Amino acid sequence: YGGFFLDGDGGTWSGVAQAAREIASAHGSHVVAFGLEAQDGSTESVGYFTSPSSPGSYDPAAPSSRNDAGARNAGLFAQDTWTISPRWGIAAGVRADRSRASYVETIPGTTSGSKTFSEISLHAGATMHASGAVDLYASYGDGFLPPSPEQLYAFPFFGSNPELEPEDARAYEFGLRSRGRLGSLDAALFWTDTANEIV
């Protein structure tokens, strides 16, 4: 049946910047953190069908496919961790994400496009120090996962689904942490509800 030779070249850069400040008040102390996260990556791919008689060789001058795929993601986030008292603590945060996926196919030229997704995610949690050895906590968080360029715009002849939506998840967790002379114990009950899961 022959084969397929793929020559790809890609690169990715990413970075995170974060700052935090502790603020004392009459109702406890706050640690406020905020920052940004960014990532940019691209891949250039050239593919060649190989003949059944010589599946290990190909003609560099006659590519069967050529495409460029890219993804650019940026996020801004902020969080406040509030220590109300030695017994109680609360944390709450927000994150805004924007993601762009692009795909340009020059050979055979059947699929090209770009899509941009954005979403705001929230999370919150509370901790109670029930005793010197036991902590109880509860938390909630949103999740956001955009489709990749390969999921939206597949390589030639493999089909594409540019109508994909980002995965959205809501996670709930309740737990207990216990520490003692004989060791420690962590127990948690959690539930995650996911929509638009990409499989």
Side-chain angles (χ1 to χ4, degrees):
Y1 295 104
F4 189 78
F5 176 81
L6 181 66
D7 184 14
D9 183 23
T12 301
W13 68 263
S14 62
V16 179
Q18 179 175 319
R21 180 178 177 86
E22 186 171 358
I23 302 172
S25 71
H27 303 287
S29 63
H30 298 261
V31 176
V32 179
F34 56 92
L36 60 91
E37 180 179 3
Q39 182 181 49
D40 192 4
S42 62
T43 303
E44 300 176 1
S45 300
V46 183
Y48 306 85
F49 283 108
T50 61
S51 68
S53 60
S54 181
S57 61
Y58 66 95
D59 181 4
S64 305
S65 71
R66 184 187 300 274
N67 56 72
D68 298 331
R72 179 173 296 170
N73 305 302
L76 298 173
F77 57 88
Q79 176 174 294
D80 181 16
T81 303
W82 180 18
T83 303
I84 303 172
S85 69
R87 187 177 180 88
W88 287 96
I90 295 176
V94 61
R95 179 183 173 104
D97 284 284
R98 182 178 176 86
S99 176
R100 182 178 187 274
S102 62
Y103 184 87
V104 177
E105 183 181 281
T106 53
I107 301 175
T110 57
T111 303
S112 291
S114 65
K115 294 200 78 172
T116 301
F117 306 98
S118 59
E119 188 153 329
I120 294 178
S121 305
L122 305 174
H123 73 266
T127 302
M128 182 183 73
H129 302 290
S131 69
V134 176
D135 293 337
L136 302 174
Y137 69 90
S139 67
Y140 165 82
D142 292 331
F144 166 72
L145 180 63
S148 68
E150 290 79 7
Q151 292 167 335
L152 290 164
Y153 312 103
F155 287 113
F157 312 112
F158 286 90
S160 300
N161 192 353
E163 302 307 315
L164 284 174
E165 295 293 333
E167 291 186 12
D168 285 309
R170 293 176 174 84
Y172 308 85
E173 184 172 350
F174 303 91
L176 173 148
R177 300 186 185 97
S178 178
R179 301 167 301 279
R181 290 182 299 173
L182 300 179
S184 62
L185 171 68
D186 288 335
L189 176 66
F190 61 90
W191 173 269
T192 303
D193 185 16
T194 304
N196 301 323
E197 185 172 7
I198 300 171
V199 296

